[in-house]
Amino acid sequence: MRYGLDILMLVLLVGEMMFFYLPPLVHEAVGVAFLLPIAWHIALNRRYVSSLGSGRWNEPRALRCLLNILLAGACFLTVISGCLTSSELFADVVPFSLRSNPLLYQLHSTAARYFLVLAGLHLGLHLKAWWQKWLHAAGITARPLPARMLLLGLCILLGAAGIYAAHQDRLVEHLLGAHIFMTPALSYNGAGYALTQAGIFLLFAEIGWFLSDAKGRWISSTKLSGE
C-alpha cells in the first residue's frame, strides 16, 4: 500500500506538471485532489514527525529534515498560489484583480518546479530501501557483477536523459524565477512532455539516492572512528 501510494503521487505530480496540455478545470481539480494522497502519506509516516523532538541530531538527519521542510513549503506555495490564480474552481471566490496578478502565476510556476525537484530528492533518500523491498518481493537475493554493471549503466543513461530533459524545459531558469513563456520541451506532444517531467524527477531521485548512500557511508565512518 505504501509503495502504491508513492507511485500514485508520482503519476499525479507528473500529470500536474503537464498543465499546458490539460483543461484548466482538470488541472485545478487534480491539484486539489492531490492533497488527499499527500495527507495519507504524512499519516503513514507520522512516527517520523513525532520523533523529531527526540534522539541525537547529526548532519545527515538535519539535512533530511531541512529537505522535508523545503518540500512541504514548496507544496504549500504551489497549492496556495494555484488556488489564488484559479480560473475555474475558485474563480467566484478569488477577486479577478488577484487571479490575474502575473507575480502569482510566476510564483505558482516556480514553486511547482521546486516541488518536482524536492519530491525527487525526497524519494531518492528512500529509494534504496524501496528498491531492496522490490528485489526481495521478486525473490532476488543476490546481484552478480553483470547485474550491478547493468544497473550502473541504466542509472547513467537515466541521469543523462534527466539532464537533457532539464535543459529542454529550462529548469534552472524556472528555479531562478525567470519569466518564461515557451521552452523547447513544450514543443513536444503530451507524452513527450510527460517524459520530460518524469526525467527531471528521476534525475533528482538519483541525486537523492547518492546522497542517501553518502549518508550511510558517513554514519559508518563515524561509528568506526568512535570505536
Side-chain angles (χ1 to χ4, degrees):
M1 178 184 295
R2 186 184 298 268
Y3 296 104
L5 178 62
D6 292 339
I7 294 173
L8 172 63
M9 289 193 295
L10 171 58
V11 171
L12 290 177
L13 178 56
V14 171
E16 277 296 89
M17 296 304 296
M18 295 175 59
F19 63 94
F20 190 76
Y21 302 87
L22 298 175
L25 181 59
V26 174
H27 178 67
E28 294 175 17
V30 173
V32 173
F34 196 6
L35 294 175
L36 295 176
I38 290 175
W40 189 6
H41 177 75
I42 294 173
L44 289 175
N45 294 277
R46 57 188 178 277
R47 288 185 179 179
Y48 169 74
V49 179
S50 62
S51 69
L52 291 177
S54 59
R56 187 172 66 88
W57 284 80
N58 51 32
E59 286 84 350
R61 186 184 183 189
L63 179 62
R64 180 182 174 186
C65 182
L66 176 62
L67 174 61
N68 289 333
I69 291 173
L70 291 174
L71 176 58
C75 175
F76 177 79
L77 282 176
T78 302
V79 172
I80 295 301
S81 59
C83 292
L84 293 177
T85 56
S86 168
S87 62
E88 297 289 343
L89 288 182
F90 305 103
D92 295 332
V93 179
V94 181
F96 177 77
S97 59
L98 192 59
R99 286 189 285 116
S100 59
N101 190 326
L103 292 179
L104 281 177
Y105 279 96
Q106 188 60 38
L107 175 62
H108 183 64
S109 175
T110 302
R113 261 72 183 196
Y114 274 103
F115 189 14
L116 180 70
V117 167
L118 292 168
L121 288 173
H122 178 77
L123 175 64
L125 291 178
H126 304 280
L127 200 54
K128 186 175 183 179
W130 200 78
W131 178 251
Q132 289 176 344
K133 186 175 180 68
W134 277 103
L135 289 178
H136 179 74
I140 302 174
T141 57
R143 285 177 293 170
L145 180 60
R148 294 200 299 270
M149 295 302 295
L150 182 62
L151 179 61
L152 176 61
L154 179 61
C155 288
I156 293 174
L157 286 175
L158 286 176
I163 292 172
Y164 180 75
H167 173 71
Q168 289 295 95
D169 200 39
R170 300 295 185 264
L171 179 65
V172 174
E173 291 91 331
H174 277 299
L175 294 177
L176 292 175
H179 196 59
I180 301 174
F181 288 102
M182 193 69 182
T183 68
L186 286 173
S187 63
Y188 303 157
N189 58 23
Y193 193 74
L195 288 174
T196 299
Q197 300 307 306
I200 293 172
F201 179 89
L202 291 175
L203 169 64
F204 285 92
E206 280 195 27
I207 294 173
W209 190 343
F210 294 142
L211 289 176
S212 176
D213 185 64
K215 180 190 74 172
R217 295 177 186 275
W218 185 89
I219 293 175
S220 299
S221 63
T222 301
K223 288 181 179 179
L224 289 175
S225 63
E227 293 178 353

